Amino acid sequence: MGKHLIEPKDLSNDEVIELINIGNSIYANPADYSHVCNGKILASLFFEPSTRTKFSFDTAMIRLGGHIIGFADADTSSAKKGESLADTIRVMNFYSDIIVMRHPKEGAPKLASEYSDIPIINAGDGGHNHPTQTLTDLFTISRYKKTLNNHTIAFVGDLKYGRTVHSLIKTLAGFNSKKFILVSPLELSLPQFLIDYLKLNYPHIEIQIARYLEDVIHEADIIYMTRIQKERFFNEEDYLKLKNSFLLDKEKMKKAKNDAIVMHPLPRVNEISYEIDDDPRSVYFEQSKLGVYIRMALITKMLEVGDYAIS
Ligand code: CP
């Protein structure tokens, strides 16, 4: 694995499986890992809002025995005074051992990595990539479905702007998925370059485009819901037209497989009815919990501590 994690392809399949194995080990025996990051500092630089990613990384580092510095609002940093990202990263290199950053601009973590001697982890860049959400998703799938291979996955919602889908679909394709069902309004379709990429590199995977979830839900092993990304729209009117496009409710869940799982990177706004939260197939809150363990595994790998310590 390279020094930085900027996009999902920075990890090979073997490295993903290795991280999942370490995540399972940490889940089973957290006390064994509670001091592996003693004396280490994680800088958490969030130029865009977050609940799960920021606080699951913070929790992960604290549970590994390390410390956190950083900001959840870039307006409290010198970015507000006009400091460049490159200068911020150069300076944070003196203060920390690893940097986790989220930024609204696509490519910002890649740029940051060019100015950093310490590892940079992309915690989401615009509508581009979200590789640690992908790790969280893969960890969840592996725990509930026992394998990452041969699934039919329905991706539902904002497939145009949703960086979690863009990251996950490329990675799952590499694990021999059976079929991808893309359910979205026409305006929020998966970008054509991604469809072309999938068709070129994974011609054996069937791709179906659907308008209504109720028409295809019965086929899905995994129902991956996503929020309409209000912050990526150029005008309010377009958002309002699409914001209630999909709602997964009890009626639709009656048509889903008994062993299907419903995932969502969260936050949800109006895509999943609260009435299905108690359905055993709804795993989205457990998914956000599992994000802590896989991020603990990732930090230990990138800092070369714990199971990854160089002897
Ligand atoms: N899944 C996810 O990225 O959530 P946050 O925006 O709350 O970090």
Side-chain angles (χ1 to χ4, degrees):
M1 183 181 176
K3 184 192 279 279
H4 310 291
L5 177 57
I6 306 300
E7 52 184 313
K9 76 173 175 53
D10 291 337
L11 292 170
S12 67
N13 283 6
D14 285 349
E15 286 168 330
V16 168
I17 298 296
E18 196 183 5
L19 285 168
I20 286 173
N21 289 339
I22 301 286
N24 280 323
S25 172
I26 297 172
Y27 190 96
N29 306 294
D32 291 354
Y33 296 83
S34 59
H35 295 292
V36 297
C37 281
N38 277 1
K40 301 284 187 190
I41 297 174
L42 180 148
S44 168
L45 312 182
F46 277 68
F47 295 84
E48 197 184 58
S50 169
T51 297
R52 273 142 297 274
T53 313
K54 171 158 177 43
F55 294 110
S56 64
F57 262 116
D58 289 1
T59 302
M61 190 55 166
I62 292 165
R63 287 193 178 154
L64 292 168
H67 303 277
I68 311 292
I69 58 171
F71 51 80
D73 175 359
D75 280 359
T76 66
S77 79
S78 284
K80 174 84 174 168
K81 300 176 209 158
E83 184 171 49
S84 69
L85 180 62
D87 284 0
T88 302
I89 295 298
R90 279 191 185 108
V91 172
M92 295 310 290
N93 265 245
F94 300 133
Y95 304 156
S96 56
D97 300 290
I98 186 165
I99 294 173
V100 175
M101 66 170 284
R102 171 171 288 187
H103 204 286
K105 288 204 178 122
E106 299 176 358
K110 173 84 183 134
L111 176 81
S113 71
E114 284 160 17
Y115 293 90
S116 186
D117 292 327
I118 62 172
I120 300 273
I121 298 175
N122 177 6
D125 60 326
H128 204 205
N129 279 304
H130 195 345
T132 69
Q133 182 64 49
T134 298
L135 284 173
T136 300
D137 298 340
L138 297 173
F139 190 38
T140 305
I141 292 168
S142 79
R143 287 185 68 91
Y144 280 93
K145 305 298 280 184
K146 307 297 171 219
T147 174
L148 299 178
N149 296 279
N150 212 31
H151 299 305
T152 292
I153 303 114
F155 290 97
V156 186
D158 185 346
L159 309 187
K160 179 177 181 183
Y161 295 115
R163 60 193 172 201
T164 62
V165 170
H166 300 168
S167 287
L168 181 60
I169 201 164
K170 285 183 286 188
T171 311
L172 269 177
F175 281 99
N176 284 320
S177 293
K178 187 169 157 192
K179 179 171 180 180
F180 294 142
I181 309 175
L182 309 175
V183 189
S184 74
L186 191 61
E187 298 89 329
L188 298 177
S189 303
L190 193 72
Q192 190 58 43
F193 78 88
L194 271 173
I195 294 179
D196 293 345
Y197 168 85
L198 293 170
K199 285 187 172 163
L200 182 70
N201 292 287
Y202 306 99
H204 61 283
I205 301 177
E206 192 184 340
I207 297 177
Q208 181 183 354
I209 294 175
R211 174 70 184 87
Y212 300 107
L213 178 57
E214 50 271 44
D215 294 344
V216 292
I217 194 169
H218 62 280
E219 281 191 64
D221 303 310
I222 298 162
I223 303 158
Y224 194 91
M225 302 298 296
T226 62
R227 172 178 69 90
I228 308 289
Q229 307 270 306
K230 181 181 182 185
E231 64 276 29
R232 314 263 177 245
F233 279 73
F234 293 109
N235 68 68
E236 178 91 4
E237 197 185 320
D238 288 350
Y239 168 71
L240 292 175
K241 208 168 60 185
L242 297 170
K243 79 180 175 101
N244 294 330
S245 292
F246 297 94
L247 178 66
L248 182 54
D249 57 14
K250 263 190 179 162
E251 257 331 282
K252 292 196 186 91
M253 283 304 288
K254 281 183 192 160
K255 295 185 179 173
K257 288 183 180 180
N258 288 336
D259 64 349
I261 56 171
V262 179
M263 299 175 64
H264 192 310
L266 302 180
R268 70 172 149 186
V269 181
N270 198 24
E271 314 81 51
I272 297 182
S273 168
Y274 285 74
E275 68 186 18
I276 72 157
D277 286 355
D278 293 335
D279 188 312
R281 294 169 292 182
S282 298
V283 305
Y284 30 89
F285 287 114
E286 184 69 12
Q287 184 184 349
S288 58
K289 173 180 159 187
L290 291 171
V292 174
Y293 299 96
I294 199 70
R295 289 183 172 107
M296 288 170 82
L298 181 66
I299 292 168
T300 64
K301 179 160 179 121
M302 295 189 83
L303 286 179
E304 299 175 343
V305 296
D307 291 347
Y308 294 111
I310 312 250
S311 50

